[in-house]
Amino acid sequence: MPALEDYALDACESLPSLRNYRMGDSLHPEQIKALRRLTSDQRLSIGMQFIRAGRRFKRAALRKQHPDWSDIEVAEEMRRLTLHGRT
């Protein structure tokens, strides 16, 4: 059985124009059709990829804002932000 990441990669390859999608952009009807064909596992996998990417961006922003912080301090702040639903 393929890993969930494989489903997401396959799904993204079938929707290449979504890679450049920006919030507020309108989706083409063909994009909507392709998204509707995704299985629940594929949707979950894509969602999880977005979550992981968001965490990587936030971690990088924290490191830039606080270059003197150790890895432990960054991890603690990430945990605090996650527990309180902040970004």
Side-chain angles (χ1 to χ4, degrees), residues 21-49:
Y21 177 78
R22 293 188 180 139
M23 292 301 287
D25 288 352
S26 296
L27 292 177
H28 187 277
E30 290 301 316
Q31 292 172 309
I32 294 170
K33 286 180 191 176
L35 287 168
R36 287 183 176 151
R37 286 192 299 264
L38 295 177
T39 66
S40 296
D41 285 346
Q42 290 170 321
R43 290 174 193 224
L44 174 63
S45 181
I46 291 169
M48 293 302 294
Q49 286 182 359

Side-chain angles (χ1 to χ4, degrees), residues 5 45-57 59:
E5 292 80 16
S45 181
I46 291 169
M48 293 302 294
Q49 286 182 359
F50 279 120
I51 289 169
R52 285 190 294 269
R55 287 179 182 158
R56 282 192 305 270
F57 288 134
R59 194 174 297 113

Side-chain angles (χ1 to χ4, degrees), residues 49-83:
Q49 286 182 359
F50 279 120
I51 289 169
R52 285 190 294 269
R55 287 179 182 158
R56 282 192 305 270
F57 288 134
K58 185 59 182 176
R59 194 174 297 113
L62 285 172
R63 289 182 194 281
K64 186 170 184 168
Q65 292 169 356
H66 306 281
D68 55 319
W69 281 10
S70 68
D71 289 344
I72 293 172
E73 289 170 309
V74 171
E76 287 173 354
E77 181 65 5
M78 288 293 296
R79 185 173 23 263
R80 187 188 71 77
L81 292 171
T82 302
L83 287 173

